Amino acid sequence: MYSEVSIAGAHTEFGVMSLYGVEILLAAALVAGSLLDRKWWTIDQKRQLPVRLGAIVLVAAILGTAFADRSAFSLSMVTHLACAYLLFVAILIDRVSTKHVLFAFVASLIAPFILGCIQVFGGSSPASSWLGLAYRDAAQLGDAVFTADGERVLRAYGSFPHPNVFGGFLGVGLFAWWAFMAQVKSLPPAMGGVGGGLVNAIGTIIFIIGMLLTGSRSAFLGLFVGLAIVFVVKSIPSMKVARPAAAILGIVAVLGSLLASFYFTDLASSIRGGGVNEERSLVERVALYEDFVPFVAATNPVVGHGMGSYVLSFSDFEPGKNAFDYQPIHNVPLLIFAELGALGLLAILCWAASIDRINFSRFPRRDALYAFGMGNVVLMIFFFDHYLWSSWSGLALIAFVMAMTVRMGEEKEGK
């Protein structure tokens, strides 16, 4: 953390300017690879369009800082977007193995899972400045908890800033695990294979347990919708029918999620009954939607407030609240619209559409379907959380999912 913008002199996590060690490591690795081999950046022609459209998104975000309410802060957030774009491009490099990337992603969740178990069953976890871990305790106000028989039970954070973020990574990780196991050739058939085997089953159970411990409803919704749509598409005999069916089901899922996100309080209350924490969370989300329209209408909807500036700009628009009461709207498309304007949102939609088109063209290859499942996980999360756009963790997850969607299902499966 190298600087901070406060709200009326009070700290807000959405005003912190920071740079993560992994971002520095990523940039260093790419520079080192370029110096060692000039052809290191070779990317197949079929993957070039998403690369170019991604660059347009980045340029739009950079240009938007000129119109931002707080240009310096917005530029610091664009730095995270630039690093996410580098990660996206790096995974598309020809010599990068999709199997190795899948393994690295899945393996990276082992330590957070263990830490998450300690947090839930131990009730707390220590802080570590070197590892970027904050102190967590069920008795500490502000930490996310379950309420069981009147007692506070800490939700699993893992090494992430919030349980919902951890849940999203685990939801994507489950599809990544299945895709990796489908590519493994060295294990006996009884231990590997598609959707079966001892190791595959154990891994699946671990991921589901981890998701349960996070208590992330958006991640579970994404997983269920992803599984359902993949199952339906895979069950359609003709791929000429399956491809438009996938697009139609995706549109239905998006529209359903939009309606659910606008009427989230009534929907969730009828399903869960909820406790004090759940009810408070739902009320806060509804309030954010009620404030969104007048906030955006009072500003320039073409270029927005600048990336990362939603909370700070809204505190100027409606002053007088406590700093922790200001939150981004829990809907990524609306958040992007507010920060990058209509032009930025359009650029991102075109980028995503180019990737979906590649994915649909590869049905019914199994890796393409696994990638489609990953995409549906994050698609559902888009409408119920903001971290996919407001944090480095979320941007990195999007970069991974979209890059793997471009790569997985290619003719040379397992490359």
Side-chain angles (χ1 to χ4, degrees), residues 106 113 170 173-175 177-178 181 191 196-210:
V106 171
F113 173 78
L170 289 170
L174 184 52
F175 279 103
W177 168 250
W178 291 332
M181 290 303 297
M191 299 178 67
L198 179 60
V199 173
N200 205 346
I202 292 174
T204 299
I205 292 171
I206 290 174
F207 273 102
I208 292 176
I209 290 174

Side-chain angles (χ1 to χ4, degrees), residues 332-350:
V332 170
L334 294 183
L335 184 58
I336 293 174
F337 177 70
E339 294 188 349
L340 297 188
L343 294 179
L345 180 59
L346 178 62
I348 290 176
L349 291 176
C350 290

Side-chain angles (χ1 to χ4, degrees), residues 146-179:
F146 301 104
T147 303
D149 297 327
E151 295 185 4
R152 293 168 59 91
V153 179
L154 188 65
R155 290 168 59 185
Y157 279 77
S159 56
F160 295 88
H162 194 276
N164 287 350
V165 183
F166 189 19
F169 269 79
L170 289 170
V172 170
L174 184 52
F175 279 103
W177 168 250
W178 291 332

Side-chain angles (χ1 to χ4, degrees), residues 248-259:
I248 293 171
L249 288 171
I251 292 172
V252 171
V254 168
L255 293 176
S257 297
L258 276 171
L259 289 173

Side-chain angles (χ1 to χ4, degrees), residues 6 30 92 128 159 185 204 210 216 229 265 280 294 321 328 350-351 381:
S6 61
L30 294 177
L92 299 187
S128 173
S159 56
K185 306 298 182 183
T204 299
S216 174
I229 295 180
T265 298
R280 183 178 60 191
K321 298 181 180 180
C350 290
W351 172 69
I381 295 174

Side-chain angles (χ1 to χ4, degrees), residues 307-378:
M307 185 171 181
S309 298
Y310 185 94
V311 169
L312 299 174
S313 297
F314 188 76
S315 69
D316 294 336
F317 176 76
E318 193 173 291
K321 298 181 180 180
N322 293 319
F324 57 79
D325 288 330
Y326 294 103
Q327 300 284 325
I329 188 169
H330 292 257
N331 186 306
V332 170
L334 294 183
L335 184 58
I336 293 174
F337 177 70
E339 294 188 349
L340 297 188
L343 294 179
L345 180 59
L346 178 62
I348 290 176
L349 291 176
C350 290
W351 172 69
S354 71
I355 294 172
D356 285 339
R357 183 179 179 183
I358 292 174
N359 181 237
F360 290 171
S361 70
R362 293 172 181 163
F363 287 0
R365 295 172 191 165
R366 60 187 181 185
D367 276 9
L369 291 175
Y370 287 135
F372 184 59
M374 289 184 197
N376 277 283
V377 172
V378 298

Side-chain angles (χ1 to χ4, degrees), residues 280-291:
R280 183 178 60 191
S281 174
L282 296 175
V283 170
E284 289 175 351
R285 286 172 181 247
V286 170
L288 290 172
Y289 277 98
E290 292 174 346
D291 294 333

